[in-house]
Amino acid sequence: MFPACDYLDLTHTKHGILFPDDSPVWTALTRIESYLEFRLQREIRVQVPPGAFIGEDVFIDEGTTLEPGVVIKGPAWIGRNCQLRAGCYIRENVIIGDGCVLGNSCEFKNCVIFDGCEVPHYNYVGDSILGHKAHLAAGVILSNVRLDRLEVTVKTDTDIIPTGLRKFGAIIGDYAEIGCNSVISPGSIIGRRSIVYPLTHFSGVLESDLMLKTRQTQQVVKRRK
């Protein structure tokens, strides 16, 4: 149930070994730390501008641009031709593919970002996986811890599936779009090419090729003097 191939095109990451065929897609989150421990090549192949901080356990491939104010603590693996903008904060155990945009005031922790993703403005991506060309609009938060701090579960229409994880944000499938200022609750899964409207709070599983529309009720009244 929930194999990676249903949500992610593994040809658009150099790290497909993280996703075993016989395990749910979120299993990869438990493997990132050990994967980087044994496979990370510590090398910076780009110019680091003044005002950027790069930790010791970091690989950055050719063509990637860093702006002043970037912080990469590591361990972290950054692919080719990415843009890391001012205020981008990359914590531990982060894998970024090729051609990604990581924007200002965005925080990343224990996550896998596939090629071509855009996470450009005021986003939090913790314990999550973003598929090929997935896009988080401004202010999207992938919440990774339940308020009661209990095990994160995946809720379908018919079942509640334990994950064994206390920290698990979301799986965002290839080409999925999450609208501005939306909050995706822990253990949520968004299918390929699906769209979540702005200002949405979502929890659960949204299948592929769907649009989740949020409608607000508004009232216009005369202002009192």
Side-chain angles (χ1 to χ4, degrees), residues 187-201:
S188 294
I189 299 178
I190 309 296
R192 282 190 174 105
R193 298 173 297 276
S194 284
I195 296 175
V196 176
Y197 265 33
L199 297 174
T200 296
H201 170 232

Side-chain angles (χ1 to χ4, degrees), residues 135-166:
H135 174 233
L136 305 187
V140 171
I141 303 298
L142 305 184
S143 178
N144 63 332
V145 179
R146 289 172 47 137
L147 290 176
D148 59 11
R149 303 298 194 269
L150 296 179
E151 176 187 3
V152 176
T153 57
V154 174
K155 298 179 183 178
T156 70
D157 292 338
T158 59
D159 203 0
I160 298 177
I161 302 167
T163 67
L165 303 175
R166 193 178 68 85

